[in-house]
């Protein structure tokens, strides 16, 4: 394992190891309160006296990449690591039910750890994505049994990532489902089916009704995918209380460090968790880099931050921690890392950039003008390009081909005489009149370089229905869209651009325009859209500008 360790060190840019001599005890059985056993592997660094214990709970198996880039690097840096497979995965008993049992199973695992002589005190917890959610699920109830948390690229609930802006995140939900099933099927038939996984997944994205998309992608009906389709409302009992832990984030007593990426689909909810910790009077650390969800550099940063955080929690040595709690990477021309006292940072003021006639974008309010029009046809849905995705293709991409489509409106500012820096949450108010009571509004901010390349900075989609967004007497609705938070510097000579459309497929499930239930809708109805930009109906994007001084 020495070669793989050194490769991981280099790829992840990790600090030096204390030892390469790690003992691995495999197949430990950890009993749960309902009588089933979860299986775990224990990594123990030899000749490291009383190493602190790090618990990592995962649905992605106990070998391969997780062992090479997570368990072993932690052990080589002086930690005893218990890598446990969530129920129904990696040889553990029971049925895998996403998010549903992580609280109880995590607490039962802490009980088991504490019964062993090698347990030297409170437990540390680490991991990205689902592994981070598993930390949040048990953290409030664990109390001082946890010494520190280091969740990255994750959130205390996954409900909002499933229904961003009220729209179903089809690509993320279906691709994750297909990946989990491929991972669990080790039969010859399963391995052969994996060869055509990409083609079947692409076909499933276009499948109607959506209730049959899981069969198209995986060859079987998947219960959790069906439940997600049916649980779209915010207060649906499927999510509460077992799968949504946001209400108790402020009760977590262990110190927390959070690492995320500007192009990670969990970032908005992760920042909600940060704000909840701050509202409770706690002092978490927050690091956000120019990373996507699966970025190796992002994972390496998360592991490095966790090592320093754990050392401070266990020994009291804060020498490896930065002075200011927030570190952000400002993207764009002339950006870079900034250390700040808070999120959102002080000295930031939201300023409107208004949509104008003729495809113009400017800070001043609009003059009298006619609305811009486009037709959204769900039979030919507006495609998604880049952005905060779960898998490949995420991040900044050239948007020029997308902006040339007739179903995308584009508003562009003048070349900037001086840099403009935006750091913080971003929102848009779009005045829309639609021929359909049910439709979507997608808004994206781009940075246009002098040569014309248009790179996406942040975006968001809002599903529109007549109850939440009632029309005025003239039929115009005010649709507020929550875009992704960002830190970006638009350089001199660059231009700020805003796109408005009604889809981002297959990242978001297309809106059929009929108001039929998400799972069963098969009829597609095109929408004639009007976007207003006049004094009575101003449309604008609110950019959090950094004010000098």
């Amino acid at each position: 394992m020495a070669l793989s360790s050194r490769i991981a060190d280099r790829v992840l840019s990790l600090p030096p190891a204390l030892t390469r001599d790690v003992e691995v005890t495999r197949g430990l059985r950890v009993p749960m309160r309902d009588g089933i056993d979860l299986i775990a592997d224990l990594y123990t660094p030899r000749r490291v006296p009383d190493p602190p214990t790090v618990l990592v709970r995962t649905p992605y198996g106990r070998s391969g990449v997780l062992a090479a880039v997570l368990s072993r690097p932690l052990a080589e840096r002086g930690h005893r690591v218990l890598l446990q497979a969530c129920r129904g995965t990696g040889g553990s008993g029971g049925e895998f039910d996403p998010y549903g049992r992580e609280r109880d199973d995590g607490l039962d695992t802490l009980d088991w750890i504490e019964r062993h002589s090698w347990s030297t005190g409170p437990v540390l917890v680490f991991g990205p994505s689902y592994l981070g959610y598993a930390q949040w699920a048990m953290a409030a109830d664990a109390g001082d049994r946890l010494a520190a948390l280091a969740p990255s690229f994750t959130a205390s609930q996954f409900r909002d990532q499933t229904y961003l802006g009220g729209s179903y995140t089809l690509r993320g939900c279906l691709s994750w489902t297909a990946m989990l099933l491929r991972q669990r099927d080790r039969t010859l038939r399963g391995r052969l089916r994996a060869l055509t996984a990409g083609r079947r997944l692409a076909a499933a994205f276009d499948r109607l009704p959506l209730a049959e998309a899981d069969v198209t992608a995986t060859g079987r009906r998947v219960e959790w995918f069906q439940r997600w389709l049916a649980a779209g409302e915010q207060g649906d009992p499927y999510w509460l209380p077992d799968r949504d832990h946001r209400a108790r984030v402020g009760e977590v007593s262990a110190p927390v460090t959070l690492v995320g990426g500007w192009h990670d689909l969990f970032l908005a909810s992760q920042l909600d968790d940060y704000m909840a910790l701050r509202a409770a009077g706690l002092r978490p650390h927050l690091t956000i880099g120019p990373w996507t969800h699966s970025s190796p550099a992002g994972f390496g940063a998360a592991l490095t931050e966790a090592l320093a955080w754990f050392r401070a929690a266990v020994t009291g040595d804060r020498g490896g921690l930065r002075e200011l709690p927030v570190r952000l990477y400002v993207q764009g021309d002339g950006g870079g890392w900034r250390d700040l006292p808070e999120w959102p940072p002080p000295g930031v003021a939201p300023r409107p950039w208004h949509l104008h006639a003729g495809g113009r974008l400017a800070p001043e309010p609009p003059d009298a003008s006619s609305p811009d029009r486009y037709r959204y046809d769900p039979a030919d849905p507006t495609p998604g390009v880049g952005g905060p995705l779960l898998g490949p293709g995420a991040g900044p991409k050239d948007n020029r081909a997308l902006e040339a489509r007739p179903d995308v409106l584009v508003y562009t500012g003048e070349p900037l005489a001086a840099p403009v820096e935006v750091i913080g949450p971003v929102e848009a108010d779009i005045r829309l009149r639609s021929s359909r009571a049910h439709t979507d509004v997608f808004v994206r901010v781009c940075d246009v370089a002098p040569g014309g390349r248009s790179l996406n900075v942040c975006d968001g989609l809002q599903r529109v229905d007549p109850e939440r967004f009632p029309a005025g007497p003239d039929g115009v609705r005010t649709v507020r869209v929550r875009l992704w938070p960002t830190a970006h510097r638009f350089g001199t000579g660059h231009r700020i651009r805003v796109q408005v459309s009604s889809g981002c497929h297959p990242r978001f499930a297309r809106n059929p325009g009929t108001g039929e239930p998400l799972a069963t809708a098969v009829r597609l109805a095109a929408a004639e859209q009007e976007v207003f930009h006049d004094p009575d109906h101003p449309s604008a994007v609110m950019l959090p500008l950094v004010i000098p001084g």
Side-chain angles (χ1 to χ4, degrees):
M1 293 295 290
L3 177 60
S4 64
S5 294
R6 289 184 170 84
I7 292 173
D9 291 357
R10 176 167 294 187
V11 170
L12 301 178
S13 300
L14 298 179
L18 298 178
T19 179
R20 300 294 185 185
D21 190 3
V22 176
E23 177 185 1
V24 184
T25 306
R26 301 192 185 278
L28 297 172
R29 307 185 73 85
V30 184
M32 299 292 106
R33 66 188 65 182
D34 63 348
I36 68 105
D37 288 345
L38 304 188
I39 306 302
D41 297 339
L42 185 66
Y43 291 71
T44 303
R46 293 190 177 98
R47 293 186 290 277
V48 174
D50 298 325
T53 300
V54 179
L55 171 61
V56 179
R57 305 193 62 252
T58 174
Y60 304 124
R62 296 175 287 113
S63 60
V65 173
L66 275 180
V69 304
L70 195 158
S71 301
R72 186 166 285 273
L74 280 169
E76 290 173 346
R77 284 152 184 86
H79 300 82
R80 179 179 282 109
V81 181
L82 187 72
L83 178 65
Q84 182 186 64
C86 295
R87 66 172 55 216
T89 71
S92 290
E95 290 294 323
F96 180 58
D97 180 17
Y99 327 131
R101 291 297 300 257
E102 306 311 344
R103 174 192 172 276
D104 290 349
D105 289 352
L107 294 173
D108 290 349
T109 303
L110 289 181
D111 292 340
W112 182 85
I113 291 173
E114 290 167 352
R115 291 196 295 267
H116 286 76
S117 59
W118 45 258
S119 178
T120 57
V123 172
L124 307 159
V125 283
F126 173 76
S129 195
Y130 195 105
L131 289 66
Y133 168 83
Q135 298 174 52
W136 283 121
M138 66 175 174
D141 289 299
D144 59 8
R145 302 167 72 188
L146 296 181
L149 277 74
S152 55
F153 301 91
T154 191
S156 61
Q157 50 79 28
F158 282 9
R159 185 266 164 201
D160 287 1
Q161 287 64 246
T162 305
Y163 280 92
L164 282 170
S167 180
Y168 191 63
T169 51
L170 175 62
R171 172 176 162 154
C173 292
L174 190 55
S175 61
W176 187 81
T177 294
M179 181 268 292
L180 258 291
L181 294 183
R182 285 198 306 273
Q183 173 187 288
R184 295 165 64 186
D185 189 352
R186 298 300 184 183
T187 65
L188 176 60
R189 183 174 180 271
R191 294 176 187 275
L192 292 175
R193 284 183 61 83
L195 299 176
T196 60
R199 176 173 55 81
R200 287 184 286 107
L201 192 59
F205 290 148
D206 291 331
R207 180 74 178 182
L208 289 178
L210 282 181
E212 297 177 1
D214 53 349
V215 177
T216 301
T218 71
R220 54 168 284 194
R221 179 183 171 91
V222 184
E223 183 60 31
W224 71 70
F225 182 80
Q226 298 296 326
R227 289 293 294 117
W228 294 344
L229 286 175
E233 296 302 319
Q234 183 69 249
D236 192 285
Y238 172 80
W239 303 102
L240 296 171
D242 294 336
R243 296 175 174 84
D244 189 332
H245 306 282
R246 76 183 91 188
R248 302 194 64 194
V249 166
E251 301 175 25
V252 175
S253 59
V256 181
T257 184
L258 302 168
V259 176
W262 293 121
H263 306 285
D264 176 38
L265 77 165
F266 293 107
L267 179 63
S269 292
Q270 186 174 42
L271 288 172
D272 289 343
D273 291 336
Y274 169 83
M275 297 299 290
L277 290 167
R278 292 293 293 124
L282 304 173
R283 193 71 168 168
H285 272 209
L286 173 67
T287 304
I288 308 175
W291 305 309
T292 64
H293 185 74
S294 55
S295 165
F299 178 77
L303 187 51
T304 299
E305 288 287 328
L307 289 166
W309 195 250
F310 291 166
R311 179 178 178 84
V314 172
T315 69
D317 177 7
R318 299 181 63 85
L321 302 182
R322 58 183 181 260
E323 181 179 350
L324 295 177
V326 176
R327 175 168 289 175
L328 308 177
Y329 187 88
V330 179
Q331 305 168 101
D333 187 46
W337 288 102
R338 309 276 178 83
D339 285 357
L340 302 167
E342 190 58 274
W343 170 271
V348 169
R351 293 287 189 268
W353 282 65
H354 290 278
L355 279 53
H356 289 254
R360 193 166 67 90
L361 182 75
E364 64 267 15
D367 298 323
S369 61
S370 299
D372 293 322
R373 296 175 172 86
Y374 66 97
R375 185 175 192 265
Y376 174 72
D377 185 358
D380 179 24
T382 313
V385 175
L389 306 175
L390 186 63
K397 304 295 178 184
D398 192 339
N399 278 240
R400 282 178 288 186
L402 175 66
E403 292 165 352
R405 286 179 59 101
D407 55 359
V408 179
L409 300 179
V410 176
Y411 302 87
T412 308
E414 295 295 324
L416 297 170
V420 170
E421 198 164 278
V422 298
I423 303 178
V426 183
E427 288 187 335
D429 281 334
I430 304 298
R431 269 62 180 193
L432 175 79
R433 185 161 62 197
S434 176
S435 63
R436 296 287 169 187
H438 297 268
T439 190
D440 289 345
V441 175
F442 180 77
V443 180
R444 168 169 279 182
V445 176
C446 291
D447 182 343
V448 183
R453 188 173 66 164
S454 178
L455 294 182
N456 48 292
V457 173
C458 60
D459 58 46
L461 182 141
Q462 179 60 57
R463 182 141 292 196
V464 177
D465 63 71
E467 183 175 329
R468 183 169 182 183
F469 297 98
D474 55 1
V476 179
R477 308 173 194 272
T478 299
V479 182
R480 174 153 291 186
V481 183
R482 183 189 187 190
L483 278 68
W484 234 228
T486 192
H488 190 90
R489 192 174 190 266
F490 297 86
T492 301
H494 287 232
R495 292 175 292 163
I496 301 174
R497 175 171 290 169
V498 171
Q499 302 173 14
V500 180
S501 63
S502 291
C504 183
H505 185 265
R507 177 176 155 199
F508 296 97
R510 54 188 160 180
N511 195 318
T514 62
E516 296 172 290
L518 174 69
T520 58
V522 293
R523 187 167 59 91
L524 301 176
E528 303 297 334
Q529 313 285 57
E530 295 177 286
V531 173
F532 287 75
H533 36 64
D534 60 64
D536 294 329
H537 310 93
S539 294
V541 173
M542 301 296 294
L543 295 179
L545 301 187
V546 177
I547 307 300

